[in-house]
Amino acid sequence: MCKASTGQNSDKFHLLGENGGDIIMQVPVGVLVHKADGSVVDLNQENELCVVAHGGSGGNHTSNFLGVKGEENLIGLELKLLADVGLVG
């Protein structure tokens, strides 16, 4: 379960609240990310990113100056293993 952070509420000194942070997980190269909507993302290169849960937006006039909750998603991580050595016998 991945849950991103909630956006900050507005106050009298800051009319617009700060946005909530996205979730960033470091995984090794060769990981498959299975998202709840059925899509699969293959992370097979260095420094490749996949956002699985966006942070909530900060408070503003459209949200009655209250921060919005971040997304919650259920994901699956699958590590693809590749053999470096083969034995013949």
Side-chain angles (χ1 to χ4, degrees):
M1 172 69 90
C2 293
K3 184 177 180 181
S5 60
T6 304
Q8 298 284 325
N9 294 335
S10 298
D11 59 23
K12 63 182 177 180
F13 298 110
H14 299 97
L15 188 59
L16 299 177
E18 296 286 326
N19 292 335
D22 297 336
I23 291 196
I24 297 174
M25 295 173 28
Q26 294 183 350
V27 295
V29 175
V31 169
L32 292 173
V33 179
H34 298 274
K35 293 185 175 182
D37 62 0
S39 63
V40 178
V41 178
D42 189 5
L43 301 174
N44 57 7
Q45 294 179 7
E46 286 285 328
N47 300 322
E48 198 169 9
L49 293 176
C50 169
V51 178
V52 294
H54 292 282
S57 61
N60 55 41
H61 66 284
T62 60
S63 65
N64 202 20
F65 299 102
L66 298 175
V68 178
K69 289 186 176 182
E71 292 180 347
E72 291 183 15
N73 286 324
L74 187 62
I75 62 167
L77 299 175
E78 178 183 350
L79 179 61
K80 297 186 298 184
L81 297 176
L82 301 175
D84 291 336
V85 176
L87 298 176
V88 177

